[in-house]
Amino acid sequence: MSNTISIAIDGPSGAGKSTLARSISRKLGYLYVDTGAIYRTIGYYVFSKHLDPRDPEAVVSALPEISVSMRYEEDGLQHMLLNGEDVTAKIRLPEISMYASAVSAHPAVRVHLLEMQRALAREHHVVMDGRDIGTVVLPDAQVKIFLTATPEVRAHRRMVELEQRGTPEPYEKVLEDIRQRDWNDTHRAAAPLRQAEDAVLLDTTKLDFQQSEEALLCIIRKKIKER
Ligand code: DC
C-alpha cells in the first residue's frame, strides 16, 4: 500500500479544475496531474491521422502506435509527449476537445491509460483532475472534490481562456460545445463523469478564482486533518 496523499478533483469542462488544481498543487508542494491532457493527446493523434474518433475499431487499432508520456519542465507545466514529440500546445486547439471526449468513451482507451495515472499517484503526492479520478482511477484518494458551475458560467470562462490563447470562439459556439461534451462525458458507459459518493461538492458559479481556491483548500485541510 502506498503512503502518498492523493487529492482527486473531478467535474465537467470549464469548472476551473485545471487552474485551481495547478495552483493548489503548488501551494501544497504536490505534483499536478492533468488527466484531460492525456486523453487530449490520444485525441490529437486520432485527429492527425484523420480517423473517426467515434469508431471504436479505428481508435483501438491505433492504440499500439501511440506512446504517451509526460515530462514536467522547469516552467512547472506538464508537457505531453506523443511518440516523443512535444504536443503540449497542439492538444489545446479547440477542435481537439471533442476528439478527446469521443476517444475517451472507448473502454480500451481508458484501460490503456489507467496504470499510467495510478503509477503517478503511487510515486508522488498528487492533485489529479479529470472526470473519473475519485470514482475509478483513485477510489481510495484521501480527498475527493467534485467541482462544478452552471454551463453558462463555464462557457464564459472557457471563452475568456480561448481568447487569451489566441484561438477565440463565439460564446454561443463555446456554450454548445460545453453542453455537448457534458452530455458525452456523463452518458458514456465507461467511467462516466459523476460525483463519487464520498466526494465534496464545490459549486464555483458565484465564486471568483480566489474564493474558489480558499474553499478548495479549506475542504482539503479539513479532510486531511480528519484522517
Ligand atoms: O479536462 P479536459 O477538458 O482537458 O478533458 C478532455 C476530455 O477528456 C473530456 O471531454 C473527457 C476526457 N476525460 C476523461 O474522459 N477522463 C478524464 N479523467 C479526463 C478527461
Side-chain angles (χ1 to χ4, degrees):
M1 189 134 154
S2 154
N3 53 8
T4 53
I5 296 178
S6 301
I7 298 171
I9 304 182
D10 290 304
S13 50
K17 293 186 304 291
S18 50
T19 327
L20 286 163
R22 186 177 305 119
S23 167
I24 61 160
S25 65
R26 270 199 208 121
K27 293 202 164 146
L28 298 167
Y30 289 13
L31 185 72
Y32 168 48
V33 183
D34 171 1
T35 63
I38 310 176
Y39 288 94
R40 282 173 180 271
T41 302
I42 306 269
Y44 176 74
Y45 181 86
V46 167
F47 165 82
S48 68
K49 295 287 172 193
H50 310 289
L51 301 173
D52 177 356
R54 285 157 306 187
D55 176 352
E57 271 175 36
V59 174
V60 171
S61 59
L63 286 178
E65 302 159 17
I66 308 177
S67 157
V68 179
S69 56
M70 288 160 58
R71 190 167 66 203
Y72 288 88
E73 302 212 341
E74 293 201 354
D75 54 14
L77 270 186
Q78 168 187 312
H79 284 249
M80 295 307 305
L81 303 178
L82 168 62
N83 296 332
E85 183 201 351
D86 190 327
V87 292
T88 312
K90 289 177 178 160
I91 61 169
R92 298 293 159 193
L93 293 170
E95 57 269 41
I96 303 305
S97 301
M98 218 56 91
Y99 272 78
S101 181
V103 297
S104 72
H106 305 306
V109 171
R110 309 201 70 84
V111 169
H112 188 74
L113 301 176
L114 191 59
E115 181 46 29
M116 173 183 186
Q117 298 169 77
R118 287 189 174 156
L120 285 162
R122 275 197 301 273
E123 289 154 18
H124 309 268
H125 294 319
V126 291
V127 178
M128 192 176 281
D129 78 6
R131 304 294 188 284
D132 62 338
I133 310 306
T135 51
V136 176
V137 179
L138 306 175
D140 297 327
Q142 292 84 345
V143 186
K144 296 183 186 176
I145 293 157
F146 194 81
L147 201 69
T148 191
T150 61
E152 290 77 14
V153 164
R154 290 187 281 122
H156 186 261
R157 289 179 188 158
R158 180 107 182 100
M159 192 183 70
V160 172
E161 184 189 325
L162 289 170
E163 259 165 32
Q164 286 168 349
R165 286 216 176 101
T167 50
E169 300 229 311
Y171 174 77
E172 289 308 327
K173 162 91 172 59
V174 177
L175 180 60
E176 194 191 305
D177 282 1
I178 289 247
R179 289 192 196 280
Q180 179 70 55
R181 273 216 288 155
D182 282 358
W183 200 91
N184 290 353
D185 297 347
T186 52
H187 286 77
R188 66 184 181 216
L193 167 65
R194 66 175 179 83
Q195 182 178 346
E197 276 175 21
D198 49 352
V200 178
L201 177 70
L202 178 59
D203 185 331
T204 66
T205 303
K206 297 198 173 117
L207 306 182
D208 64 17
F209 174 79
Q210 200 154 358
Q211 292 166 325
S212 306
E213 187 182 60
E214 272 163 26
L216 208 53
L217 285 169
C218 184
I219 296 168
I220 294 168
R221 290 200 190 103
K222 191 159 170 277
K223 282 275 166 193
I224 291 183
K225 220 184 275 164
E226 276 172 8
R227 294 174 63 229

